[in-house]
């Protein structure tokens, strides 16, 4: 995988200029192009970013406050006077920073390229766009220290050491390898918590969310280069090896010393010098009781935490940011999962828009106004799909049928204190449908925005005064 960044001045308006920072990541099979631009008016700032596989997008805002997107050499204009962080289904909006009493706007790139953190005495805004966990990572940090590079490193470690089923060094890979040998695997407190929460969600959703359908996902290969509709027999055979009830998690005694935790961590990690070092670093920072468990998976079943992986990433970043006293606020988007942390410098609400599921990339159908620290995730049938014989096959699979979910919904956005739950609940609610999905959210104290095939919007009680529809095609 190679990464190339270009900074280009593309326009001038009076004494104001526009620069676009373009990020291109590519390998033999696919290319991911991202863009970002920044505006500043009276000390404020707005940020645009986007990255999609097999997409080529550039964007800017003109002096009329119109968002312009150039896609495949065609200019698309959205007269919403907003700028957005476009990530799969959600866009972060900075409406107040995009207004000007004279209508003149200055746009300049503010892409952070430093390899090390930068500290200043006065609060700053640091932005960076990167690639992690097979998706685009967009970071915006408010404070006196740039920690964008450190966050990227934290997520790289999370993927390699914990979550990836592709990496032999990860805990998930070890769990699956041990399961094929009929063996149990010891888990540290972090992995125990993630598996516990995933299994509880699977149970409460009656299997609408299932962390064992990784093989089914790969059978459809919707995110790959050659997606196809599998045969009924292939789906039936694969479903026989899935089911969250085949995962057995056994709690063991709490470990009362950091030294004991170090030994447990070494047991569950690949025996390499790097992983040993990671384990030792973790143990040195842990002086409290650490609950551990052992996991066993039967009947050729495998564990795949991909459906909550981006949410877990947001939780890991939140834990990291809590330790950074120089950071007062942040917006971290990992694919379709967004962490809003702390507050903006002016104390105004975070404005998060929901993608129009039947519109152009970057076109908002509504906006959420939220305050404080929270997580937002969106699942929609427009994110990843392919067409065969005139029918759309999307990536959100129903574990009970083995086929793409057909619940009457086209988009679900979830707001939750937990990144893992916002990510997992968006999937579960999409599969369940509106009525059952709303009941599931109540059990977690989470909130949601449901959009059905007729463009009818249902907003849960806790968001009714925080959500505004921008597109007249949609009705509540």
């Amino acid at each position: 995988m190679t990464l190339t960044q270009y900074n280009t001045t593309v326009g001038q308006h009076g004494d104001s200029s526009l620069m676009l920072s373009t990020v291109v990541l590519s390998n033999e099979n696919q290319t991911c192009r991202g863009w970002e631009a920044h505006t500043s008016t009276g000390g404020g700032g707005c940020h645009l970013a986007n990255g999609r596989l097999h997409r080529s997008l550039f964007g800017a805002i003109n002096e009329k406050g119109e968002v312009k997107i150039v896609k495949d050499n065609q200019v698309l204009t959205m007269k919403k006077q907003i700028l957005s962080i476009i990530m799969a289904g959600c866009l972060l909006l900075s409406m107040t920073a995009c207004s000007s009493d004279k209508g003149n706007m200055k746009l300049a790139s503010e892409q952070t390229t430093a390899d090390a953190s930068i500290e200043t005495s006065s609060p700053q805004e640091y932005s960076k766009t990167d690639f992690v966990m097979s998706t685009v990572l967009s970071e915006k940090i408010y404070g006196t220290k740039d920690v964008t590079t450190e966050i990227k490193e934290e997520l790289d470690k999370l993927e390699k050491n914990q979550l990836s089923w592709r990496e032999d060094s990860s805990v998930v890979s070890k769990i699956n390898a041990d399961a094929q040998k009929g063996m149990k695997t010891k888990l540290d407190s972090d992995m125990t918590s993630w598996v516990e929460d995933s299994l509880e969600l699977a149970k409460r959703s009656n299997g609408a969310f299932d962390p064992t359908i990784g093989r089914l996902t790969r059978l459809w290969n919707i995110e790959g280069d050659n997606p196809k509709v599998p045969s009924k027999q292939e789906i039936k055979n694969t479903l026989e090896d899935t089911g969250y009830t085949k995962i057995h998690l056994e709690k063991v005694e709490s470990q009362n010393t950091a030294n004991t935790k170090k030994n447990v961590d070494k047991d569950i990690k690949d025996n390499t010098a790097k992983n040993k070092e990671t384990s030792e670093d973790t143990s040195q920072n842990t002086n409290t009781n650490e609950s551990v468990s052992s996991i066993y998976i039967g009947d050729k079943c495998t564990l795949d935490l991909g459906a909550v992986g981006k949410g877990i990433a947001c939780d890991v970043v939140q834990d990291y940011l809590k330790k950074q006293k120089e950071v007062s606020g942040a917006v971290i988007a990992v694919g379709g999962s967004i962490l809003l942390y702390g507050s903006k410098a002016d104390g105004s609400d975070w404005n998060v828009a929901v993608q129009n599921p039947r519109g152009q990339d970057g076109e908002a159908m509504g906006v959420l106004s939220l305050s404080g620290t929270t997580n937002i995730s969106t699942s929609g049938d427009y994110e990843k799909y392919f067409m065969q014989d005139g029918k759309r096959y999307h990536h959100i699979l129903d574990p009970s049928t083995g086929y793409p979910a057909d619940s009457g919904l086209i988009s679900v956005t979830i707001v939750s204190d937990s990144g893992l739950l916002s990510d997992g609940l968006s999937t579960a609610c999409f599969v369940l449908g509106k009525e059952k999905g709303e009941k599931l959210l109540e059990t977690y104290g989470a909130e949601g925005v449901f959009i059905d095939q007729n463009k009818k919007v249902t907003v849960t009680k806790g968001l009714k005064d925080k959500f505004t529809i921008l597109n007249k095609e949609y009705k509540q």
Side-chain angles (χ1 to χ4, degrees), residues 130-368:
D130 221 313
F131 195 72
V132 70
M133 300 175 74
S134 300
T135 193
V136 174
L137 167 67
S138 179
E139 304 173 72
K140 179 173 283 190
I141 303 295
Y142 300 92
T144 58
K145 180 181 179 182
D146 180 6
V147 295
T148 55
T149 298
E150 288 83 350
I151 288 173
K152 167 67 162 58
E153 291 172 351
E154 287 289 319
L155 297 186
D156 282 337
K157 287 192 294 184
L158 172 68
E159 180 180 25
K160 184 175 181 179
N161 296 340
Q162 299 273 38
L163 300 183
S164 176
W165 57 267
R166 297 181 180 90
E167 296 280 353
D168 292 340
S169 59
S170 78
V171 177
V172 167
S173 287
K174 179 170 174 55
I175 290 171
N176 292 332
D178 286 349
Q180 302 311 306
K181 302 172 187 176
M183 297 170 54
K184 295 181 179 181
T185 308
K186 288 184 179 180
L187 306 182
D188 66 8
S189 58
D190 287 337
M191 184 59 73
T192 297
S193 176
W194 298 332
V195 173
E196 277 185 326
D197 290 346
S198 296
L199 292 179
E200 179 63 23
L201 176 55
K203 181 179 178 181
R204 292 194 195 187
S205 67
N206 197 28
F209 169 85
D210 193 322
T212 69
I213 64 168
R215 284 182 178 173
L216 180 66
T217 300
R218 293 187 283 279
L219 177 66
W220 280 86
N221 195 33
I222 292 177
E223 298 183 44
D225 294 328
N226 299 298
K228 65 180 180 65
V229 179
S231 68
K232 291 182 179 180
Q233 190 59 47
E234 286 177 315
I235 292 175
K236 179 181 178 182
N237 293 341
T238 304
L239 287 178
E240 289 176 355
D241 295 330
T242 65
Y244 72 93
T245 58
K246 295 178 181 179
I247 297 179
H248 306 283
L249 190 66
E250 301 175 359
K251 279 290 191 71
V252 298
E253 227 175 284
S254 294
Q255 308 301 310
N256 295 316
T257 66
N259 204 35
T260 304
K261 182 185 184 300
K262 180 176 69 174
N263 294 332
V264 171
D265 283 345
K266 284 184 178 179
D267 284 343
I268 67 172
K269 296 183 184 295
D270 187 61
N271 190 24
T272 64
K274 187 172 183 178
N275 282 340
K276 282 183 179 180
E277 182 179 348
T278 300
S279 179
E280 289 166 359
D281 288 344
T282 301
S283 68
Q284 291 170 2
N285 294 327
T286 306
N287 295 311
T288 57
N289 289 353
E290 290 290 340
S291 298
V292 296
S293 66
S294 62
I295 187 172
Y296 172 74
I297 305 177
D299 297 333
K300 300 180 182 179
C301 191
T302 59
L303 177 68
D304 188 339
L305 296 178
V308 290
K310 311 305 185 293
I312 290 173
C314 289
D315 289 334
V316 168
V317 172
Q318 182 176 339
D319 289 341
Y320 172 80
L321 290 175
K322 287 178 180 179
K323 302 173 185 176
Q324 310 306 312
K325 61 182 181 179
E326 302 92 346
V327 176
S328 59
V331 181
I332 308 297
V334 188
S337 294
I338 296 177
L339 166 67
L340 306 177
Y341 176 81
S343 61
K344 291 192 286 186
D346 61 4
S348 61
D349 285 349
W350 303 111
N351 294 301
V352 181
V354 177
Q355 165 75 33
N356 179 355
R358 292 296 180 260
Q360 299 287 344
D361 284 337
E363 181 182 343
M365 60 71 57
V367 61
L368 281 163

Side-chain angles (χ1 to χ4, degrees), residues 106-122:
K106 179 175 68 175
L107 291 86
S109 68
E110 296 176 357
Q111 177 70 30
T112 302
T113 57
D115 292 329
S117 62
I118 302 171
E119 287 194 52
T120 62
S121 56
S122 59

